[in-house]
Protein backbone atom coordinates (compact mmCIF):
# COMPACT_ATOMS: atom_id res chain seq x y z
CA UNK A 1 0.00 0.00 0.00
CA UNK A 2 1.41 3.39 -0.96
CA UNK A 3 -0.36 6.06 1.08
CA UNK A 4 -0.61 9.69 0.03
CA UNK A 5 1.00 12.18 2.39
CA UNK A 6 -1.67 13.79 4.58
CA UNK A 7 0.16 17.08 4.95
CA UNK A 8 3.44 18.22 3.46
CA UNK A 9 5.95 15.62 4.77
CA UNK A 10 8.65 18.27 4.36
CA UNK A 11 7.14 20.06 7.35
CA UNK A 12 7.35 17.02 9.62
CA UNK A 13 10.39 16.86 11.89
CA UNK A 14 12.50 13.94 13.06
CA UNK A 15 14.97 13.62 15.90
CA UNK A 16 16.79 10.35 16.55
CA UNK A 17 19.08 9.95 19.55
CA UNK A 18 21.61 7.32 20.56
CA UNK A 19 20.81 6.24 24.11
CA UNK A 20 18.76 4.18 26.51
CA UNK A 21 15.09 4.52 25.64
CA UNK A 22 13.95 3.95 29.22
CA UNK A 23 16.32 6.60 30.59
CA UNK A 24 15.09 8.97 27.89
CA UNK A 25 11.46 8.29 28.80
CA UNK A 26 12.19 8.86 32.51
CA UNK A 27 13.66 12.26 31.68
CA UNK A 28 10.90 13.30 29.26
CA UNK A 29 7.40 14.59 29.83
CA UNK A 30 5.10 13.48 27.04
CA UNK A 31 2.01 15.60 26.45
CA UNK A 32 -1.31 14.57 24.86
CA UNK A 33 0.16 15.41 21.45
CA UNK A 34 2.62 12.49 21.70
CA UNK A 35 1.85 8.85 20.91
CA UNK A 36 4.34 6.16 21.88
CA UNK A 37 4.70 3.50 19.16
CA UNK A 38 7.31 0.78 19.53
CA UNK A 39 8.49 -2.82 19.25
CA UNK A 40 10.39 -3.96 22.33
CA UNK A 41 13.52 -6.09 21.92
CA UNK A 42 13.02 -9.85 21.79
CA UNK A 43 14.69 -12.21 24.30
CA UNK A 44 17.17 -13.13 21.54
CA UNK A 45 18.49 -9.54 21.67
CA UNK A 46 19.69 -10.07 25.26
CA UNK A 47 22.41 -12.73 25.13
CA UNK A 48 22.71 -14.52 28.46
CA UNK A 49 19.35 -13.36 29.83
CA UNK A 50 16.92 -16.10 30.87
CA UNK A 51 13.45 -16.22 29.35
CA UNK A 52 11.99 -15.64 32.83
CA UNK A 53 14.11 -12.53 33.41
CA UNK A 54 13.30 -11.20 29.94
CA UNK A 55 9.56 -11.85 30.45
CA UNK A 56 9.62 -9.73 33.61
CA UNK A 57 11.66 -7.01 31.91
CA UNK A 58 9.30 -7.02 28.94
CA UNK A 59 6.06 -6.55 30.92
CA UNK A 60 7.68 -3.97 33.23
CA UNK A 61 8.92 -2.04 30.20
CA UNK A 62 5.45 -2.08 28.63
CA UNK A 63 4.12 -0.68 31.94
CA UNK A 64 6.82 2.03 31.91
CA UNK A 65 5.86 2.98 28.34
CA UNK A 66 2.14 3.11 29.22
CA UNK A 67 2.85 5.30 32.26
CA UNK A 68 5.12 7.59 30.25
CA UNK A 69 2.37 8.70 27.89
CA UNK A 70 -0.14 11.38 28.90
CA UNK A 71 -3.42 9.90 30.30
CA UNK A 72 -5.15 11.10 27.11
CA UNK A 73 -2.34 9.76 24.94
CA UNK A 74 -1.88 6.27 23.49
CA UNK A 75 0.86 3.63 23.63
CA UNK A 76 0.99 1.18 20.73
CA UNK A 77 3.08 -2.01 20.52
CA UNK A 78 3.91 -4.27 17.56
CA UNK A 79 5.27 -7.67 18.66
CA UNK A 80 5.71 -11.14 17.14
CA UNK A 81 5.57 -14.24 19.36
CA UNK A 82 8.51 -16.62 19.62
CA UNK A 83 8.98 -20.19 20.77
CA UNK A 84 11.31 -21.12 23.62
CA UNK A 85 12.02 -24.80 24.30
CA UNK A 86 8.86 -25.76 22.43
CA UNK A 87 6.61 -23.35 24.37
CA UNK A 88 5.14 -20.19 22.87
CA UNK A 89 5.91 -16.87 24.47
CA UNK A 90 2.67 -15.00 23.87
CA UNK A 91 3.85 -11.40 23.65
CA UNK A 92 0.31 -10.02 23.32
CA UNK A 93 -0.39 -11.47 26.76
CA UNK A 94 2.83 -9.97 28.12
CA UNK A 95 1.96 -6.57 26.65
CA UNK A 96 -1.48 -6.79 28.23
CA UNK A 97 0.04 -7.72 31.60
CA UNK A 98 2.25 -4.62 31.51
CA UNK A 99 -0.56 -2.34 30.37
CA UNK A 100 -2.85 -3.69 33.12
CA UNK A 101 -0.19 -2.91 35.74
CA UNK A 102 -0.12 0.68 34.43
CA UNK A 103 -3.92 0.97 34.55
CA UNK A 104 -4.03 1.36 30.77
CA UNK A 105 -7.01 -0.05 28.84
CA UNK A 106 -6.86 -1.77 25.47
CA UNK A 107 -8.43 0.40 22.74
CA UNK A 108 -7.79 -2.15 19.99
CA UNK A 109 -5.87 -5.31 19.20
CA UNK A 110 -5.06 -6.00 15.54
CA UNK A 111 -3.53 -9.06 13.95
CA UNK A 112 -0.96 -8.55 11.20
CA UNK A 113 -0.81 -11.56 8.85
CA UNK A 114 2.86 -12.41 8.31
CA UNK A 115 1.97 -15.02 5.66
CA UNK A 116 -1.24 -15.84 3.80
CA UNK A 117 -3.94 -17.46 6.00
CA UNK A 118 -3.89 -21.24 5.56
CA UNK A 119 -0.11 -21.56 5.20
CA UNK A 120 1.98 -23.37 7.78
CA UNK A 121 4.88 -21.64 9.50
CA UNK A 122 7.72 -23.11 11.54
CA UNK A 123 9.28 -21.42 14.56
CA UNK A 124 7.56 -18.04 14.17
CA UNK A 125 3.78 -17.63 13.99
CA UNK A 126 1.85 -16.51 10.91
CA UNK A 127 0.71 -13.36 12.73
CA UNK A 128 2.03 -10.39 14.66
CA UNK A 129 0.17 -8.37 17.32
CA UNK A 130 -0.55 -4.65 17.12
CA UNK A 131 -2.11 -3.36 20.36
CA UNK A 132 -3.16 0.13 21.43
CA UNK A 133 -3.62 1.25 25.05
CA UNK A 134 -4.61 4.39 26.92
CA UNK A 135 -5.24 5.29 30.54
CA UNK A 136 -8.08 7.77 29.93
CA UNK A 137 -8.60 8.13 26.18
CA UNK A 138 -11.51 6.24 24.64
CA UNK A 139 -12.36 6.19 20.96
CA UNK A 140 -15.72 6.21 19.21
CA UNK A 141 -16.76 3.37 16.89
CA UNK A 142 -16.40 5.80 13.98
CA UNK A 143 -12.61 5.50 14.41
CA UNK A 144 -12.69 1.73 13.88
CA UNK A 145 -10.20 0.35 11.35
CA UNK A 146 -9.58 -3.24 10.15
CA UNK A 147 -8.63 -5.68 12.91
CA UNK A 148 -6.86 -8.03 10.50
CA UNK A 149 -4.08 -6.52 8.38
CA UNK A 150 -3.38 -8.59 5.28
CA UNK A 151 0.39 -8.83 4.93
CA UNK A 152 3.56 -7.26 6.23
CA UNK A 153 4.17 -4.79 3.42
CA UNK A 154 7.95 -4.35 3.60
CA UNK A 155 10.53 -4.65 6.37
CA UNK A 156 14.00 -3.15 6.48
CA UNK A 157 15.35 -6.04 8.60
CA UNK A 158 14.03 -9.12 10.35
CA UNK A 159 13.23 -7.24 13.58
CA UNK A 160 11.67 -4.22 11.89
CA UNK A 161 8.13 -3.03 12.31
CA UNK A 162 6.31 -4.03 9.11
CA UNK A 163 5.35 -1.08 6.91
CA UNK A 164 1.71 -2.30 6.88
CA UNK A 165 1.54 -2.00 10.69
CA UNK A 166 3.25 1.41 10.65
CA UNK A 167 0.77 2.66 8.00
CA UNK A 168 -2.23 1.39 10.01
CA UNK A 169 -0.91 3.11 13.15
CA UNK A 170 -0.15 6.45 11.49
CA UNK A 171 -3.48 6.47 9.67
CA UNK A 172 -5.22 5.90 13.05
CA UNK A 173 -3.14 8.60 14.78
CA UNK A 174 -4.02 11.14 12.09
CA UNK A 175 -7.69 10.39 12.63
CA UNK A 176 -7.33 10.92 16.40
CA UNK A 177 -6.56 14.55 15.51
CA UNK A 178 -4.84 15.38 18.82
CA UNK A 179 -1.56 13.59 18.02
CA UNK A 180 1.25 15.44 16.25
CA UNK A 181 4.30 13.40 17.34
CA UNK A 182 5.24 9.72 17.33
CA UNK A 183 7.79 8.63 19.95
CA UNK A 184 9.66 5.32 19.63
CA UNK A 185 12.10 4.63 22.52
CA UNK A 186 13.37 1.43 20.79
CA UNK A 187 13.33 2.79 17.23
CA UNK A 188 15.82 0.47 15.48
CA UNK A 189 16.12 1.52 11.84
CA UNK A 190 13.24 3.96 12.23
CA UNK A 191 10.37 2.44 10.23
CA UNK A 192 7.67 4.14 12.27
CA UNK A 193 9.52 7.47 12.13
CA UNK A 194 9.74 7.46 8.33
CA UNK A 195 6.07 6.51 7.95
CA UNK A 196 5.03 9.07 10.59
CA UNK A 197 6.84 11.85 8.72
CA UNK A 198 5.11 10.78 5.52
CA UNK A 199 1.76 11.19 7.29
CA UNK A 200 2.76 14.67 8.44
CA UNK A 201 3.56 13.57 12.01
CA UNK A 202 6.81 14.44 13.80
CA UNK A 203 9.03 11.57 14.93
CA UNK A 204 11.31 11.17 17.95
CA UNK A 205 13.37 7.98 18.19
CA UNK A 206 15.92 6.53 20.61
CA UNK A 207 18.08 3.43 20.18
CA UNK A 208 21.19 2.02 21.82
CA UNK A 209 22.72 1.11 18.46
CA UNK A 210 24.64 3.94 16.75
CA UNK A 211 24.46 2.08 13.45
CA UNK A 212 20.70 1.80 13.54
CA UNK A 213 20.26 5.40 14.69
CA UNK A 214 22.24 6.51 11.62
CA UNK A 215 19.85 4.54 9.42
CA UNK A 216 16.80 5.82 11.31
CA UNK A 217 17.88 9.41 10.73
CA UNK A 218 18.17 8.82 7.00
CA UNK A 219 15.25 6.50 6.22
CA UNK A 220 12.68 7.97 3.84
CA UNK A 221 9.22 6.58 3.16
CA UNK A 222 9.76 6.21 -0.60
CA UNK A 223 13.05 4.38 -0.04
CA UNK A 224 11.38 2.14 2.56
CA UNK A 225 8.76 0.99 0.06
CA UNK A 226 10.97 0.84 -3.03
CA UNK A 227 14.14 -0.68 -1.59
CA UNK A 228 13.75 -1.79 2.05
CA UNK A 229 16.93 -3.89 1.96
CA UNK A 230 19.07 -0.81 1.35
CA UNK A 231 17.37 1.13 4.16
C1 LIG B 1 12.66 -4.99 17.84
S1 LIG B 1 13.93 -3.84 17.52
C2 LIG B 1 13.04 -2.43 16.94
C3 LIG B 1 12.98 -2.38 15.43
C4 LIG B 1 12.34 -1.13 14.88
N1 LIG B 1 10.94 -1.08 15.19
C5 LIG B 1 12.57 -1.03 13.38
O1 LIG B 1 11.59 -0.87 12.62
O2 LIG B 1 13.73 -1.11 12.95
C6 LIG B 1 14.42 -3.36 19.14
C7 LIG B 1 15.48 -2.29 19.17
O3 LIG B 1 15.67 -1.93 20.54
C8 LIG B 1 17.01 -1.51 20.69
N2 LIG B 1 17.29 -1.51 22.14
C9 LIG B 1 17.49 -2.55 23.00
N3 LIG B 1 17.58 -2.09 24.26
C10 LIG B 1 17.43 -0.75 24.22
C11 LIG B 1 17.39 0.28 25.19
N4 LIG B 1 17.54 0.03 26.50
N5 LIG B 1 17.18 1.55 24.77
C12 LIG B 1 17.02 1.84 23.46
N6 LIG B 1 17.06 0.91 22.49
C13 LIG B 1 17.25 -0.37 22.86
C14 LIG B 1 17.80 -2.48 19.85
O4 LIG B 1 19.06 -1.90 19.49
C15 LIG B 1 16.85 -2.69 18.64
O5 LIG B 1 17.19 -1.82 17.59
Amino acid sequence: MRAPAVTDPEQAQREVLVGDGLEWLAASELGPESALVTSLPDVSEFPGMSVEAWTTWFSQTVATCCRAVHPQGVAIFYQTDVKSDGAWIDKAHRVHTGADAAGSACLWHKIVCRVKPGLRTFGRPAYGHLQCFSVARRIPNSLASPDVIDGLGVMTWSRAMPSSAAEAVCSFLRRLETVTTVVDPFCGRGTILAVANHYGLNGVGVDLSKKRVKKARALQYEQLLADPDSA
Side-chain angles (χ1 to χ4, degrees), residues 19-21 39-41 45 156-157 159-161 184-191 206-209 212:
D20 185 311
S39 296
L40 302 184
E45 294 178 70
T156 56
W157 61 309
R159 299 187 192 281
M161 184 179 291
D184 185 349
F186 300 89
C187 71
R189 295 191 190 177
T191 311
V206 186
D207 202 282
L208 282 179
S209 159
R212 287 196 272 279

Side-chain angles (χ1 to χ4, degrees), residues 137-219:
R137 185 85 188 242
R138 299 293 179 264
I139 53 170
N141 285 341
S142 58
L143 282 188
S145 52
D147 287 330
V148 178
I149 298 173
D150 183 11
L152 293 170
V154 295
M155 290 169 72
T156 56
W157 61 309
S158 61
R159 299 187 192 281
M161 184 179 291
S163 65
S164 61
E167 300 252 16
V169 166
C170 291
S171 167
F172 166 73
L173 293 177
R174 284 297 312 202
R175 292 170 68 213
L176 271 187
E177 291 182 348
T178 48
V179 172
T180 60
T181 302
V182 169
V183 171
D184 185 349
F186 300 89
C187 71
R189 295 191 190 177
T191 311
I192 192 66
L193 306 177
V195 175
N197 284 171
H198 179 75
Y199 277 74
L201 298 164
N202 302 316
V204 179
V206 186
D207 202 282
L208 282 179
S209 159
K210 275 188 191 163
K211 229 165 87 178
R212 287 196 272 279
V213 163
K214 196 171 168 204
K215 284 180 177 285
R217 286 180 179 143
L219 183 62

Side-chain angles (χ1 to χ4, degrees), residues 93-154:
H93 168 61
R94 299 292 163 203
V95 169
H96 236 292
T97 303
D100 280 351
S104 204
C106 188
L107 301 189
W108 45 254
H109 181 170
K110 299 180 189 303
I111 295 299
V112 179
C113 297
R114 302 179 71 244
V115 300
K116 285 278 169 218
L119 294 180
R120 287 198 299 165
T121 56
F122 303 91
R124 303 299 299 274
Y127 51 82
H129 303 279
L130 191 58
Q131 296 162 279
C132 175
F133 298 86
S134 179
V135 171
R137 185 85 188 242
R138 299 293 179 264
I139 53 170
N141 285 341
S142 58
L143 282 188
S145 52
D147 287 330
V148 178
I149 298 173
D150 183 11
L152 293 170
V154 295

Side-chain angles (χ1 to χ4, degrees), residues 20 80-81 83 92 109-110 164 224 229:
D20 185 311
T80 308
D81 298 346
K83 242 183 204 174
H109 181 170
K110 299 180 189 303
S164 61
L224 169 68
D229 292 333

